Amino acid sequence: MKIGFIGTGNMGTALIKGIINSKIVDPQYINVYDPSSEKLLKLKDETNVTIKENNVDVANDSDVIILAIKPNIYDSVLNEIKDAVTDNKIIIIIAPGITIERVRDILKKGKIIRTIPNTPALIGEGITAISYPDNISVNDKETVENIFKSCGEIIEVKENLIDAAMSVSSCSPAFVYIFIEALADAGVSLGLPRDISYKLASKAVSGSGSMVLNTGFHPGYLKDMVTSPGGTTIQGVRMLEKYGMRSAVIEAIIASYEKVKRK
């Protein structure tokens, strides 16, 4: 099997390195092209993947084609490679708002799969939402899932829900970083050194997420475990509710979702 990458930005590079580390295929069987020769040379030096001359060469010589490009150039790239796509090739979308139907209308051929990874994939801690067409085979599903498991976890969702999944998993790291920064700023204001404050805040957030996943307990139950009657934590919770943290987070996710739907 040969895997092709059109685009080698952060997400494309994360997947390439994950595939290599997981030994899904040898680096020589990963075909890549990017308009930036600097990116290609750096990637070649780091991974020994096969550099192609253009997008069409990647599509011609790959069984799986991963479109790791910006949404605004999808149509032009699809039109460029459509004659190189055959019915047995797997085409993987990595972009918000780009539907399976839209890609199929241009390509006419291929097994088109829609995915939404998130940036923690860069350190192997991502989660990818995946939507499949009705006619996808078990073997093709396994191929796609192995690629994305190399950078974290996967979850299958219906395509009509994938934009909602994107808003919760792909946009939210930015919101979490703001929260971490605010926690650290508060620590600094109370006299903690900046580096210590960032570490305390970051580990508190990552550990809390792991608690939800590993225990299976409802987040509200875990919150109640920390908030003793008349204690310190409940006073902080009271202030978060007073200033609308819960509502602000909900509105941020909905705003991100609505922006994708307007594209």
Side-chain angles (χ1 to χ4, degrees):
M1 178 178 68
K2 292 185 178 181
I3 303 173
F5 281 83
I6 296 178
T8 59
N10 287 336
M11 195 57 66
T13 300
L15 285 169
I16 289 166
K17 291 181 178 179
I19 289 166
I20 293 170
N21 290 338
S22 299
K23 296 181 170 54
I24 295 170
V25 296
D26 289 333
Q28 63 181 320
Y29 296 121
I30 300 175
N31 300 316
V32 302
Y33 176 72
D34 192 285
S36 170
S37 57
E38 183 179 347
K39 282 185 182 179
L40 290 177
L41 291 172
K42 184 173 184 291
L43 190 61
K44 174 71 173 178
D45 183 58
E46 292 176 350
T47 64
N48 202 34
V49 294
T50 299
I51 305 300
K52 293 294 186 179
E53 292 293 323
N54 51 56
N55 294 331
V56 176
D57 285 350
V58 171
N60 271 322
D61 196 34
S62 302
D63 305 297
V64 179
I65 304 165
I66 299 176
L67 300 168
I69 52 179
K70 299 295 185 183
N72 63 314
I73 63 169
Y74 250 76
D75 287 1
S76 62
V77 170
L78 291 172
N79 278 296
E80 183 184 354
I81 68 170
K82 65 182 180 181
D83 291 337
V85 174
T86 58
D87 284 330
N88 63 331
K89 290 181 187 283
I90 296 173
I91 315 299
I92 298 179
I93 304 166
I94 303 183
I98 306 295
T99 64
I100 291 173
E101 182 181 12
R102 176 172 167 181
V103 174
R104 185 185 291 122
D105 284 346
I106 295 174
L107 294 181
K108 309 299 183 187
K109 299 182 289 286
K111 304 164 189 177
I112 301 158
I113 292 150
R114 190 171 172 194
T115 69
I116 296 289
N118 65 359
T119 54
L122 296 170
I123 58 166
E125 294 290 337
I127 185 163
T128 300
I130 305 177
S131 296
Y132 296 104
D134 294 336
N135 61 347
I136 198 74
S137 71
V138 172
N139 286 341
D140 289 338
K141 269 191 176 185
E142 185 178 2
T143 296
V144 173
E145 290 176 1
N146 284 340
I147 289 171
F148 287 94
K149 282 179 180 177
S150 72
C151 288
E153 297 189 33
I154 60 165
I155 187 164
E156 183 176 344
V157 298
K158 294 180 179 179
E159 193 184 7
N160 67 324
L161 295 175
I162 199 165
D163 288 327
M166 179 276 302
S167 301
V168 173
S169 69
S170 187
C171 297
S172 62
F175 312 151
V176 174
Y177 300 143
I178 292 171
F179 180 55
I180 290 172
E181 188 177 33
L183 290 174
D185 283 346
V188 171
S189 75
L190 296 172
L192 285 171
R194 174 68 65 179
D195 59 338
I196 291 175
S197 200
Y198 271 130
K199 185 164 186 176
L200 289 169
S202 300
K203 287 299 291 183
V205 169
S206 65
S208 298
S210 294
M211 282 282 285
V212 174
L213 294 174
N214 293 339
T215 65
F217 293 150
H218 190 283
Y221 175 79
L222 293 171
K223 177 209 71 179
D224 289 349
M225 287 174 59
V226 187
T227 50
S228 304
T232 56
T233 304
I234 193 63
Q235 299 308 314
V237 170
R238 178 174 66 86
M239 297 305 288
L240 291 175
E241 295 291 355
K242 177 180 178 180
Y243 290 106
M245 176 186 176
R246 191 187 302 262
S247 177
V249 171
I250 292 170
E251 292 303 318
I253 296 296
I254 292 172
S256 300
Y257 173 81
E258 289 176 343
K259 174 63 176 177
V260 171
K261 297 314 254 184
R262 287 196 298 268
K263 286 185 178 180

